[in-house]
Each structure stands twice: as structure tokens, then as C-alpha cells.
Amino acid sequence: MILTVTLNTALDLTYRVPALRPHTAHRVTEVTERPGGKGLNVARVLAALGHEVTVTGFAGGATGRVLRELLPLSVGDALLPVCGATRRTVAVVDARTGDTTQLNEPGPLIGPAEWSAFQEAYEDLVADADAVALCGSLPPGVPVGAYAGLVRTARAAGVPVLLDTSGEPLRRGVAARPDIVKPNADELAELTGSHEPLRATQDARRRGAQAVVASLGPEGLLAATPEGRWRATPPTRIHGNPTGAGDSVAAGLLSALVEGLPWPARLARAVALSTATVLAPTAGDFDRPAYEDLQTRITVTGEATAA
């Protein structure tokens, strides 16, 4: 079982309008809602790949109930109830330009007793996990060093852990020595102070991460690992909706890790999944025929570290 942690879950609402104009009323032509938050997105892709996956984190209020009702049947639900209401994220899509305007609520205030209950539940869940993904922002009330503690719990249990967050939670989490850190270029630069990706990935490893896989958008992935350094790129520059592409990278890396694939194959899968996510007609899903076609067409260059 793969465990994904989303401490700040969300109900993602998407409104589609013919054209978005400030200071005017709009007629919404289409509304969709789905469970959101990075770890839930990762879990949805893992389940689609055929892996057993369980989600945990917090869910509260009427929004939390709707979120849980909308979880796919293939995803195990170990979300903990809280007094506060789960946040909503609202995306307004301009059908004329394809541009998206995003509004993100902060999330519920988590009390000390609720955080303690989560830590106990997490420790039990980790004991049965093959890998763990710690993803996304922290809701109010959760300590900024929360991910560092959760990384240490997983490592103590001998379970590989991937960390995908930003800012101070990332800086503290890296120091706890996660197996994989998956920042994008901006997050990596903020962590290390370097805007040169190769230098920044190496610096992030020196700060504690075992392996660093940097998302470079349409240019693919750059990985610095104990086994070597690689660059993975899609066959062509593609256009589409990048929403969820980073979460598909995390799902690709985790699924390949638990299957025992070598790093070049992990990176090829991750890039194929993220590219197929950009091409999908629904944001956050992936185009399966495109994914299957792309798997053999991803270019991976680099070298293994000499033993």
C-alpha cells in the first residue's frame, strides 16, 4: 500500500465562463467539483495505475463530507475529522483564452489535540505502507516543522518517503533526510538560493535530501540521486493544461520506486505521466493512450555514479 498525506485537503471547484472580465457578472457554463490537494491528486493517479493507495490528512465540515463522498472507490479513506471546515479552491476558466484564475482558501484551523491524533494515526498507517508521499501546504495550526517529523517517523519505520512542499516546511523537511524531494524550479531556487538547476539539486542533496527530482515544466525533469544524475525530457514541446502535472510526477516516481525500477525508468514514467496529464481534457487526469505511447519516447540522459 502507498500512503499519501494531504494535511490541507480541498474541494476543487472549477467554473467555466465564456470570457472572464473584471467588474462584471458572469454566466457560468459548466461547474465541476472533485477532491483536491496534492496528495489526493497523487493518490488518484496511483490508483489509476493499479496501485493500492490510502489517503490521510484532515477533512471537516460540509465541504469535508462532500470531499469524502467524491473520493474514488479505488482509494482508501483514512482522513481524520476535524472541527473546522475543509477549504475550497475555485478555478475560473476563461473559455476564450484558456487562462485560469485560481482562488485558494487557507484551510481549517487545526487544534493541538487534532494534530496529536493525526500523528498517532499516521504512525499506524506508515507501519503498513510500502512508501509515503507528504504533499502540499500546511493548514493553520499545524507546526511549520510538521513534515520534518513525519519524514522521521517514516524513516524510523524503514519506509521510503517523498516530500513535495515549499517554503519553510520544505527547508525543515529536507533536513530530516527524505528519500525523494520533488520541488519545481522556483521552489528549488527558494530553498537553495541558486537559479542554476544542476547546482541547486546538488545543494539540496547536501542539505539532507537523499534524491532531488526537480520539475522543469515543459523541459522535463532533472534528478540528482545517490545512484547518479539524469535529465528526462518529453519528445516534443506540448501545449495544454498543466494543472496536476507535478502531482503526476510524484505518482510516477512512487509507483516506479515500489516496483523496484531503476532511476532512468522512474524518470521516464514520471515525465510520460506528467506530459499525458497536460494533454488530458480534464484537469488533473492523465490521457492513458498518450501515456502509453510516451513511455517509450522519453529521452533520459546522464550517468550512473561509479560504484
Side-chain angles (χ1 to χ4, degrees), residues 65-252:
R65 287 194 294 274
V66 173
L67 180 149
R68 299 181 84 160
E69 290 170 359
L70 293 176
L71 283 174
L73 295 177
S74 54
V75 172
D77 178 1
L79 295 167
L80 273 69
V82 291
C83 293
T86 294
R87 66 184 178 134
R88 294 161 297 182
T89 67
V90 179
V92 183
V93 180
D94 185 322
R96 176 176 53 87
T97 65
D99 292 337
T100 299
T101 299
Q102 191 86 16
L103 304 172
N104 296 332
E105 296 178 356
L109 177 64
I110 304 301
E114 292 170 331
W115 175 236
S116 295
F118 172 81
Q119 290 174 286
E120 292 179 10
Y122 171 77
E123 190 169 350
D124 291 339
L125 288 164
V126 164
D128 295 324
D130 299 311
V132 176
L134 307 174
C135 303
S137 62
L138 301 178
V142 172
V144 70
Y147 282 137
L150 299 181
V151 169
R152 286 191 286 268
T153 298
R155 287 184 57 80
V159 178
V161 56
L162 178 148
L163 177 62
D164 185 7
T165 188
S166 60
E168 187 64 12
L170 174 60
R171 189 184 71 80
R172 297 198 187 193
V174 164
R177 303 183 64 79
D179 295 86
I180 305 173
V181 174
K182 194 209 71 62
N184 61 33
D186 290 339
E187 293 163 349
L188 187 61
E190 182 183 5
L191 173 66
T192 65
S194 174
H195 291 272
E196 200 291 303
L198 180 58
R199 179 181 300 172
T201 55
Q202 293 169 329
D203 183 59
R205 286 201 66 214
R206 285 193 292 269
R207 291 168 184 258
Q210 301 295 303
V212 180
V213 180
S215 294
L216 305 180
E219 297 179 10
L221 300 176
L222 178 66
T225 81
E227 288 79 25
R229 293 181 299 197
W230 291 275
R231 181 76 172 265
T233 56
T236 58
R237 197 175 187 90
I238 53 94
H239 301 281
N241 188 344
T243 301
D247 301 327
S248 290
V249 168

